[in-house]
Amino acid sequence: MYQNPYEELDWEKSHWLRGNFHTHCGARSGDNCGKLPLDDVAACYKDCGYDFLTITNHDALTILPKAEPHLPLLLEGYEYSFDGHMLCIGSKSLSKDAHEQAASLCCQEG
């Protein structure tokens, strides 16, 4: 049986943020995750009404600029892809360990 988890929600009183946790950009030299620079990607999302954005390039931490009003809130993260794929949101360091150890590190930092 399908049950709507938002059925009881008062949409008029709720405050929701629009965001994307899985975004690639050309944040560093030789990066093949995306072609557009971080500022251009972030500005595009801001123009589309997004409040936050996480840059999750494959196995690479992106150096984020300081908060700027013309950009959405940028969150640290990366896409772990050494042994399966997993988003690590809020991570400040990369892990190249097995998937389980990388997940544990992501949970401790995020």
Side-chain angles (χ1 to χ4, degrees):
M1 176 175 155
Y2 171 76
Q3 191 170 1
N4 181 352
Y6 306 106
E7 194 170 60
E8 306 286 324
L9 185 65
D10 184 346
W11 291 97
E12 296 297 319
K13 293 182 181 176
S14 299
H15 179 72
W16 291 81
L17 298 176
R18 177 181 286 178
N20 185 357
F21 287 112
H22 190 175
T23 310
H24 297 297
C25 69
R28 61 190 169 100
S29 176
D31 196 340
N32 63 359
C33 288
K35 296 187 186 278
L36 297 176
L38 170 62
D39 287 344
D40 291 351
V41 171
C44 180
Y45 274 90
K46 183 70 171 186
D47 290 346
C48 291
Y50 282 72
D51 300 297
F52 68 89
L53 186 64
T54 306
I55 303 301
T56 52
N57 287 344
H58 291 258
D59 308 312
L61 287 172
T62 301
I63 306 229
L64 300 176
K66 291 182 180 178
E68 298 182 34
H70 68 282
L71 299 177
L73 173 65
L74 297 172
L75 306 174
E76 291 148 332
Y78 69 98
E79 182 174 354
Y80 169 91
S81 62
F82 293 104
D83 176 24
H85 286 246
M86 167 179 61
L87 293 181
C88 295
I89 309 298
S91 292
K92 296 182 183 353
S93 61
L94 290 173
S95 175
K96 295 181 181 182
D97 294 327
H99 195 269
E100 292 79 11
Q101 287 83 14
S104 175
L105 178 64
C106 287
C107 289
Q108 290 171 11
E109 290 185 350

